[in-house]
Amino acid sequence: MVLEIGHEADRCDCNVIHEDVVERVRLTMPREEDLYDLAEFFKVFGDSTRIKIISALFKNEMCVCDIAYLLNMTQSAISHQLRVLRQARLVKNRKEGKIVFYSLNDEHVKQIFDQGLNHINE
Amino acid sequence: MVLEIGHEADRCDCNVIHEDVVERVRLTMPREEDLYDLAEFFKVFGDSTRIKIISALFKNEMCVCDIAYLLNMTQSAISHQLRVLRQARLVKNRKEGKIVFYSLNDEHVKQIFDQGLNHINE
DNA sequence: ATAACATATGAACAGTTGAGCAAGTATCGA
DNA sequence: TCGATACTTGCTCAACTGTTCATATGTTAT
């Protein structure tokens, strides 16, 4: 098999390659960077503490302390996770004196959450 | 504040708790176990290698070697990740002699994938 | 049988991540 | 101004995860 210059087959250690299929697929795939961002996005959903927080905020905005109480975890742990959710733009907050209320910040979240539930319940 | 017997406020180290809100939220939340499974499910999407594999399989079924070639990774690495995807019931495979072809196994996957893309592109 | 090859798997290792602790910031009330 | 309180953040460590290497399994051709 003739490899083109610069062809990225350095690590692939097998021979049966359906070149036509691979190249066709390559054309349809999103940019590498977008796929990376997408994985980062789903990573945020991939932790049970964060999923619980998201699930809780569907019903009501809540302050950090309420969430810590609800989930029986330290305020620090919740605050750390809220930061992750904030950075992913999944939650927003408003301040009322000392108290910070968090709520969801995205319309897609509920749909993604529910479709995930569909999958695990089928 | 009076704590009920067996109340799970052991680790919460603050005082301002909106009990009514918290208890109302608690009633609407899915079972702990389902939330755990949901996090496990999203964890599978939270790795760029697996996202690339999923993204590739939208277009065509492919053998392990094709995927390794496409992503310029070792066959072993791909095989390991395909196992994760298989265990999450996201892909299925069919065997043709020595070659194993993988394809997607779920209708929700495309929707979840696309809604994730919506989020990062907004 | 034996060789060749596509894929799977186990162990090891590096890198990442979540939680707790302790210290810090910001706001309120006295 | 001072203490109390709601929250945030830096650090550390144990636990987890993805990749590689070496090896095993299963299929085909000779």
Side-chain angles (χ1 to χ4, degrees):
Chain A
M1 201 190 72
V2 180
L3 286 185
E4 300 156 26
I5 295 170
H7 208 302
E8 63 258 55
D10 310 353
R11 347 231 2 210
C12 168
D13 47 353
C14 46
N15 304 307
V16 176
I17 292 166
H18 307 86
E19 288 246 23
D20 53 331
V21 173
V22 172
E23 294 312 323
R24 192 145 34 87
V25 165
R26 198 191 298 280
L27 290 172
T28 70
M29 287 180 66
R31 288 166 40 222
E32 165 118 20
E33 194 193 324
D34 285 342
L35 291 173
Y36 181 82
D37 291 344
L38 194 53
E40 289 302 305
F41 174 67
F42 284 122
K43 212 169 277 183
V44 178
F45 286 84
D47 174 80
S48 59
T49 299
R50 289 192 293 265
I51 277 286
K52 286 177 193 168
I53 295 175
I54 291 170
S55 165
L57 293 179
F58 282 136
K59 183 68 179 177
N60 256 286
E61 69 170 9
M62 279 194 285
C63 71
V64 179
C65 179
D66 288 344
I67 301 173
Y69 174 80
L70 172 66
L71 303 184
N72 191 29
M73 294 178 66
T74 64
Q75 197 188 89
S76 173
I78 300 299
S79 185
H80 278 299
Q81 297 301 0
L82 283 170
R83 177 159 66 153
V84 176
L85 292 168
R86 226 185 306 126
Q87 283 170 342
R89 295 175 302 142
L90 292 180
V91 301
K92 59 178 185 287
N93 57 36
R94 75 183 173 84
K95 220 166 171 182
E96 205 170 275
K98 284 179 284 195
I99 304 178
V100 181
F101 288 95
Y102 280 85
S103 57
L104 292 177
N105 189 33
D106 193 286
E107 330 81 59
H108 312 123
V109 176
K110 180 68 174 159
Q111 295 166 52
I112 293 176
F113 186 94
D114 286 340
Q115 256 150 11
L117 272 183
N118 281 346
H119 180 86
I120 66 170
N121 288 327
E122 85 191 356
Chain B
M1 201 190 73
V2 179
L3 285 185
E4 299 156 27
I5 295 169
H7 209 300
E8 64 258 53
D10 310 352
R11 347 236 354 214
C12 169
D13 46 354
C14 48
N15 303 309
V16 176
I17 292 167
H18 307 84
E19 288 246 23
D20 53 331
V21 173
V22 172
E23 295 312 323
R24 191 143 35 87
V25 165
R26 199 190 297 279
L27 291 172
T28 71
M29 287 180 65
R31 289 167 38 223
E32 165 117 18
E33 194 193 325
D34 285 343
L35 291 173
Y36 182 82
D37 290 345
L38 195 53
E40 289 303 304
F41 174 67
F42 283 122
K43 214 169 275 184
V44 178
F45 287 84
D47 174 81
S48 59
T49 299
R50 290 193 293 265
I51 276 285
K52 284 177 193 169
I53 294 176
I54 291 170
S55 165
L57 293 179
F58 282 136
K59 183 67 179 175
N60 256 285
E61 69 169 8
M62 279 194 284
C63 71
V64 179
C65 181
D66 287 345
I67 301 172
Y69 174 79
L70 172 65
L71 304 183
N72 191 29
M73 294 178 64
T74 65
Q75 170 265 322
S76 174
I78 300 299
S79 185
H80 278 298
Q81 297 299 4
L82 282 170
R83 177 160 64 155
V84 176
L85 292 168
R86 226 185 307 127
Q87 284 169 341
R89 297 174 303 142
L90 292 179
V91 302
K92 59 178 185 288
N93 56 34
R94 74 182 175 84
K95 219 166 171 183
E96 204 169 276
K98 284 179 286 196
I99 304 177
V100 181
F101 289 94
Y102 280 85
S103 57
L104 291 176
N105 189 33
D106 193 287
E107 331 80 58
H108 313 123
V109 176
K110 180 68 174 162
Q111 294 166 53
I112 294 175
F113 186 94
D114 285 340
Q115 255 150 10
L117 272 183
N118 280 348
H119 180 85
I120 65 171
N121 288 327
E122 87 190 354

